[in-house]
Amino acid sequence: MPGFGRFAPSPSGDLHLGNLRTALLAWLFARSTGRGFLIRLEDLDRVKAGAAERQLADLAAIGLDWDDPVVRQSERLPLYEDAIARLTAAGRTYECFCTRKEIQQAVTAPHGPLGAYPGTCRDLTENERAQRRATGRPAALRLRADITELEITDELLGSYRGAIDDLVLRRGDGSPAYNLAVVVDDAAQGIDQVVRGDDLLPSTPRQVYLATLLGLPIPQYAHVPLVLNTEGQRLAKRDGAVTLHDRIALGESPAQVRGVLAASLGYPNATTTSQLLTGFRPDTLPKEPWRLDPDGLLQPWSGP
Ligand code: GLU
């Protein structure tokens, strides 16, 4: 039984061309391998009212389709708590009372990577814990990790070795942390193929480790290059007309925008999603980020 691929946007605003390109790739990877395709709205933080609906409308407008249901992480809290309870029962969690500032100021863990949690609260005594709880500062819950590195395999990038530390599972404000929610959801939704921007590659070893501890299957990963602006920085709203709505306001149609995205993937002549799907070959995708000048965007078929 083929599983599912997915696109998991955070509804914090309109998707820009980089997000749409990643969504198109995730859809192509899934559909070209006979998988279903799911959309998951990662709305545990950074939510803007109405953004989720606009994102879905934009994805549909460029020709993507998906299977029901569209899920929202904010409606799945018991699933994450259940996973946390399992890890806790296995002695795999501890409360952390550190502020962000304290973590930044602490020296890096002796064997850990730069920026890794230094383990300040890992071995507090029950008394020390009680004292800290009494201050009223809400505790985050961390994973008690027993490795500091893990190698994973990426379909496009090959093997990647990345850091593992005592990552946060539940934040001080009570919300489940991104890494935990993603791992729980991918497994619960039958997702066996994760295609996403390569800015998330460093999170992948942590997610694979978490999935392993929870006894969940490990999906196949493909991290795709981001879209950069002319200065080589990650594309952002301030770079100009970068959302579908911006492009439509300039007189372009959603199909033309898809054409630009397709051209950036090496398919300048694919004008429909089915043409794109028929020709899709992951191994020929550009390995470099797409450098985009929103002011100089040319329709792929408007050239000589
Ligand atoms: N919600 C994350 C984002 O928009 C993506 C998470 C994922 O694909 O694993 O950056």
Side-chain angles (χ1 to χ4, degrees):
M1 265 278 284
F4 292 87
R6 47 75 152 184
F7 181 60
S10 304
S12 55
D14 282 348
L15 299 170
H16 62 47
L17 294 171
N19 309 131
L20 291 171
R21 185 179 188 252
T22 302
L24 178 59
L25 278 169
W27 181 88
L28 285 167
F29 268 90
R31 295 296 192 212
S32 67
T33 52
R35 286 180 166 85
F37 186 62
L38 297 171
I39 306 283
R40 181 170 72 233
L41 298 165
E42 302 210 322
D43 61 348
L44 294 177
D45 58 3
R46 294 188 295 133
V47 173
K48 188 165 160 199
E53 291 68 27
R54 285 168 71 95
Q55 292 185 340
L56 294 175
D58 289 356
L59 295 170
I62 64 162
L64 306 192
D65 63 347
W66 51 86
D67 300 288
D68 285 330
V70 170
V71 304
R72 291 172 190 257
Q73 288 188 323
S74 58
E75 292 168 356
R76 300 163 66 80
L77 299 178
L79 278 180
Y80 313 132
E81 282 305 321
D82 182 61
I84 288 175
R86 285 170 53 207
L87 291 168
T88 300
R92 281 286 179 185
T93 66
Y94 64 90
E95 284 169 290
C96 171
F97 301 88
C98 296
T99 61
R100 202 166 290 203
K101 199 160 158 214
E102 283 164 351
I103 296 172
Q104 275 160 7
Q105 284 168 351
V107 286
T108 300
H111 307 293
L114 204 66
Y117 178 65
T120 320
C121 294
R122 185 177 169 121
D123 296 312
L124 295 181
T125 63
E126 209 27 70
N127 250 344
E128 289 169 328
R129 249 179 222 128
Q131 275 168 16
R132 282 167 180 72
R133 278 189 208 120
T135 66
R137 186 197 287 173
L141 198 70
R142 286 187 181 273
L143 179 72
R144 192 179 289 280
D146 57 8
I147 57 171
T148 55
E149 272 194 342
L150 186 71
E151 187 167 306
I152 59 109
T153 304
D154 181 278
E155 295 296 309
L156 298 175
L157 305 171
S159 57
Y160 170 82
R161 179 173 279 277
I164 311 277
D165 70 348
D166 286 359
L167 51 113
V168 172
L169 301 169
R170 191 205 289 124
R171 304 188 317 220
D173 66 5
S175 358
Y178 158 70
N179 283 308
L180 177 84
V182 163
V183 165
V184 168
D185 281 336
D186 283 342
Q189 295 187 275
I191 287 161
D192 63 356
Q193 180 190 58
V194 170
V195 177
R196 59 187 176 189
D198 63 11
D199 55 326
L200 287 167
L201 184 62
S203 301
T204 305
R206 296 162 153 219
Q207 293 174 10
V208 168
Y209 181 55
L210 258 184
T212 308
L213 292 178
L214 286 164
L216 302 174
I218 312 296
Q220 185 186 93
Y221 290 97
H223 289 85
V224 299
L226 290 182
V227 179
L228 305 180
N229 67 15
T230 46
E231 262 103 69
Q233 296 145 346
R234 195 191 296 192
L235 190 72
K237 301 276 160 63
R238 63 175 173 277
D239 291 318
V242 296
T243 68
L244 185 60
H245 295 269
D246 297 339
R247 304 311 303 180
I248 289 171
L250 292 176
E252 294 170 5
S253 70
Q256 284 175 312
V257 172
R258 183 183 59 236
V260 171
L261 299 177
S264 81
L265 297 174
Y267 301 96
N269 302 317
T271 51
T272 64
T273 40
S274 51
Q275 281 170 3
L276 201 46
L277 197 52
T278 312
F280 183 63
R281 295 261 317 276
D283 51 333
T284 63
L285 284 175
K287 301 262 184 293
E288 296 300 312
W290 181 35
R291 292 270 185 142
L292 176 70
D293 175 5
D295 298 331
L297 255 191
L298 282 183
Q299 301 313 323
W301 51 84
S302 67

